[in-house]
Amino acid sequence: MSKILLVLPVYNEERILENSIKILDGYMKNIKNNYKIVIANNASTDKTKEIADRLSKKYKNVEAIHLKIKGRGYALKEAWKRYNANVYAYCDIDLATDIKHLEPLFNEVLNGNDIVIGNRYMKESNTRRTLKRLILSKGYTFLIRIFFHTRITDFQCGFKAVNKKIVKEIIPKIIDKGWFFDSELILIAEKNKYKIKQLPVKWNENKGSKVDIIKTIYYDLYGLIRLRNNKSI
């Protein structure tokens, strides 16, 4: 039976953490695979740590790790390398992507894909978000496609899964510790001919998102320039 590792990077999520874990654990119990849910708490300053520790005792298949450095990329890199699994996945703790897509996400990796990514912009997807964020996201993808001639149309959706080969061969090469981690993962893997599958999803924007759009854009542009100047990409 295949082992699924689902990582939830969290930073100051005391308000929604417990309910999201309850929903996810209930869903995962219905999948015919061994699974582990890991709460990757990266430098939270609220009660996230205490709640995560309590949940790890309450649910048999939930564990918590506590990191001193912020950043989704850092949290994923640290969590994925600590565990042995057949599928290494993550989703955002606000569950913006409908969790009904988790089993198809896992299965696409088990069926031979190296990376599977939720894509909010495929024809079959159902996405609700503000016009401002839509324009920024589309603009970002447009820049990537100009710089790297990629076929991927959504880099930033917080809903992805990879296999053990990616964890061993690609993850150690990724430099970014923050939001650009996803883009760097996909661009390096695509350049090296790994098999990438895009999965249509239902996605609703979380109005309470803590993402600093301007700061994220700055770091994303810096990351793109860095990768563009890297002769191996």
Side-chain angles (χ1 to χ4, degrees):
M1 191 175 290
S2 301
K3 179 68 173 289
I4 309 294
L5 178 69
L6 178 62
V7 177
L8 304 166
V10 294
Y11 173 71
N12 287 355
E13 297 291 359
E14 62 179 8
R15 185 177 59 85
I16 63 173
L17 179 57
E18 183 161 8
N19 188 57
S20 291
I21 292 297
K22 179 181 178 181
I23 292 170
L24 285 168
D25 188 67
Y27 176 89
M28 295 292 285
K29 283 178 180 176
N30 294 320
I31 298 178
K32 295 179 181 179
N33 285 292
N34 290 327
Y35 73 93
K36 185 177 293 296
I37 297 173
V38 175
I39 304 168
N41 168 36
N42 47 318
S44 292
T45 57
D46 64 358
K47 295 182 180 178
T48 294
K49 181 182 185 300
E50 290 82 353
I51 295 171
D53 286 339
R54 176 165 52 80
L55 293 172
S56 69
K57 295 175 182 177
K58 181 178 180 180
Y59 296 98
K60 181 179 70 172
N61 294 315
V62 174
E63 291 187 11
I65 62 174
H66 303 292
L67 309 169
K68 295 181 180 181
I69 299 174
K70 286 176 61 177
R72 180 167 78 180
Y74 180 76
L76 290 174
K77 197 170 185 177
E78 284 296 307
W80 283 351
K81 76 180 184 181
R82 294 186 186 193
Y83 295 88
N84 183 39
N86 300 106
V87 178
Y88 298 78
Y90 90 91
C91 70
D92 289 336
I93 194 64
D94 64 0
L95 307 184
T97 304
D98 195 319
I99 64 169
K100 71 179 182 182
H101 302 299
L102 280 172
E103 188 169 15
L105 186 81
F106 305 149
N107 287 340
E108 288 291 353
V109 173
L110 294 172
N111 289 336
N113 292 290
D114 297 308
I115 301 177
V116 183
I117 61 177
N119 188 318
R120 296 163 293 182
Y121 306 125
M122 295 177 74
K123 188 183 299 183
E124 304 88 346
S125 296
N126 182 352
T127 302
R128 296 179 61 186
R129 72 184 322 176
T130 62
L131 180 61
K132 178 183 178 181
R133 286 181 179 264
L134 176 63
I135 292 172
L136 289 171
S137 181
K138 288 276 192 177
Y140 176 66
T141 300
F142 178 73
L143 284 176
I144 296 182
R145 300 190 81 179
I146 289 177
F147 284 0
F148 298 98
H149 307 290
T150 176
R151 66 180 180 85
I152 307 301
T153 55
D154 189 358
F155 289 81
Q156 298 168 308
C157 183
F159 196 81
K160 295 179 175 68
V162 305
N163 61 16
K164 191 174 299 186
K165 184 164 61 172
I166 293 295
V167 172
K168 289 183 176 180
E169 299 175 4
I170 299 297
I171 297 301
K173 297 179 180 179
I174 298 176
I175 295 173
D176 191 81
K177 293 182 174 71
W179 297 100
F180 189 70
F181 174 92
D182 298 61
S183 300
E184 193 165 356
L185 163 65
I186 294 168
L187 290 170
I188 294 175
E190 188 176 37
K191 177 67 175 180
N192 288 279
K193 310 299 183 184
Y194 288 86
K195 192 172 182 182
I196 303 174
K197 172 81 173 182
Q198 301 182 84
L199 188 73
V201 294
K202 179 180 180 182
W203 188 91
N204 287 309
E205 180 179 312
N206 173 21
K207 294 181 180 179
S209 174
K210 299 183 181 71
V211 178
D212 186 327
I213 299 177
I214 301 301
K215 189 175 181 179
T216 301
I217 290 172
Y218 171 79
Y219 283 113
D220 283 347
L221 291 176
Y222 172 80
L224 289 178
I225 294 170
R226 172 173 58 79
L227 282 186
R228 180 66 173 173
N229 291 331
N230 186 338
K231 301 303 180 183
S232 65
I233 300 299

